[in-house]
Amino acid sequence: MERDEPETLPAAAQQVDDQTALVSKPRKKGGKGDLASAGFNIINSIIGSGIIGLPYSMKEAGFPLGVLLLFGVAYITDYSIILLIKGGNLSSANTYQDLVRKTYGLVGYLILSTLQFLYPFIAMISYNIITGDTLTKVFQRIPGVGTDNVLTDRHFIILLTTIIFTLPISLYRDIAKLGKVSLISLILTIVILIVVMVRTVTFSPQVPKSENAWIFAKSNAVQAVGVMSFAFICNHNSFLIYGSLEEPTLKNWSRVTHVSVSLAVIISVVFATCGYMTFTGYTEGDLFENYCRDDSLATFGRFCYGVTVILTFPLECFVTREGVLSATPLVFIIPSACYLKLSKERWNHSDNLISCLILAVGVLVMTVGFVLTVLHPQECSHGKEMFYCISSNISSHNSTLPPQVEHQSAD
């Protein structure tokens, strides 16, 4: 009898199996974080401060189209951060910068490092400004606190919150330890969502509805995608959070990513819908600018939002310590471009086709969005009382009036 020879796989099949094993296996051990902590960090990174501008993106895109675009951005975010880890496993890279360096050399590394530093650094500056602006409005509602009180000084509040809260939390060496902090931030975000939902029922009847409030699509849809991308960006944190897992495998990462992004998009859609339904065409870039100063429930929401921003700050600090001019390259372009260059799959493989589509959309959004921003800059109201909050003198100089009211009051 002839002895059976061991079955051998074709070279192409062996290459595919090797690639699958490389993508699927863990690159390293040593992380101390569980899936829950990683999930809380991803959710906190997504719905930190950017959620406050999502109702405004509905106004810019048109509500029905805006909701569809929000789901689209969420899907691209989910897909792209998994692509990042796939690319990292294929290139044996442990950081976003290392992935781009191995894929596109020194030039790509320098570009990514610049974006990777600038985006969270600018975000941290904006967080400090938001904290100062938000909490001073809260403290002004305290009886006996006048405009000359130190608690109404934005610079003092920023310094105080930095020393007491953001600096100590940002000094953690392991991002997994921020899981509990992110959980607190998530709970506060849900509280803010409840405040917005309650005010949709109780306050929206006082706000006049704007014309064409429910039109399907508007011309600023591309700019709305930019706002959504800023809200959903968490790619710059991906490798840090992935490396914090006790078992950093693609299966575990995909699971925590799908759950986290799904929960984030549900919260975001509800928040954007309720915020836009309340104020329609008068929706500001910072939704809390739409609420009246004497609204106690909105003041409580502002306080929760300020705390949420403080708790989101350390996640951005971790990225700057590892060293986005625009959110679009980090979400759409770079992950897709890296994976396309590293992938050994056939050109018509689903991952390659979807990556090409995401890359093309990213280039379109970044180009068109930049042109529209230059040609049609958007203005926001800051610190002014909205016209529907003024019961007697709607022509008050400290109110923000819609165009038709301004015209009538001038006659």
Side-chain angles (χ1 to χ4, degrees), residues 11 71 130 273 296 313:
F71 277 108
I130 291 172
T273 300
S296 297
F313 186 99

Side-chain angles (χ1 to χ4, degrees), residues 33-52:
D34 54 17
L35 296 181
S37 296
F40 293 143
N41 281 331
I42 292 176
I43 295 173
N44 190 27
S45 184
I46 292 176
I47 58 176
S49 67
I51 191 175
I52 206 71

Side-chain angles (χ1 to χ4, degrees), residues 109-131:
Y109 171 80
L110 293 176
I111 294 175
L112 186 277
S113 296
T114 302
L115 295 175
Q116 186 86 332
F117 176 82
L118 282 179
Y119 173 78
F121 182 75
I122 294 173
M124 287 191 296
I125 294 176
S126 69
Y127 289 172
N128 278 326
I129 295 174
I130 291 172
T131 301

Side-chain angles (χ1 to χ4, degrees), residues 34-87:
D34 54 17
L35 296 181
S37 296
F40 293 143
N41 281 331
I42 292 176
I43 295 173
N44 190 27
S45 184
I46 292 176
I47 58 176
S49 67
I51 191 175
I52 206 71
L54 291 180
Y56 178 78
S57 70
M58 301 294 106
K59 168 188 171 182
E60 293 295 285
F63 179 73
L65 178 60
V67 172
L68 294 177
L69 289 176
L70 191 53
F71 277 108
V73 170
Y75 174 79
I76 291 175
T77 300
D78 179 279
Y79 199 89
S80 64
I81 60 180
I82 293 177
L83 276 186
L84 275 180
I85 303 305
K86 284 184 177 180

Side-chain angles (χ1 to χ4, degrees), residues 276-348:
Y276 181 76
M277 287 178 62
T278 306
F279 303 106
T280 60
Y282 306 117
T283 306
E284 294 288 336
D286 178 349
L287 185 67
F288 280 116
E289 290 291 325
N290 282 105
Y291 296 103
C292 303
R293 295 180 184 178
D294 60 355
D295 188 332
S296 297
L297 185 60
T299 299
F300 176 68
R302 289 188 182 101
F303 173 76
C304 293
Y305 178 62
V307 176
T308 299
V309 170
I310 292 173
L311 298 180
T312 306
F313 186 99
L315 282 173
E316 306 301 335
C317 184
F318 261 91
V319 180
T320 57
R321 278 160 50 179
E322 294 289 325
V324 216
L325 187 62
S326 169
T328 306
L330 292 177
V331 176
F332 292 81
I333 299 175
I334 298 178
S336 302
C338 288
Y339 182 79
L340 286 172
K341 188 166 184 178
L342 292 169
S343 176
K344 304 299 182 182
E345 303 286 356
R346 296 184 60 182
W347 68 270
N348 59 350

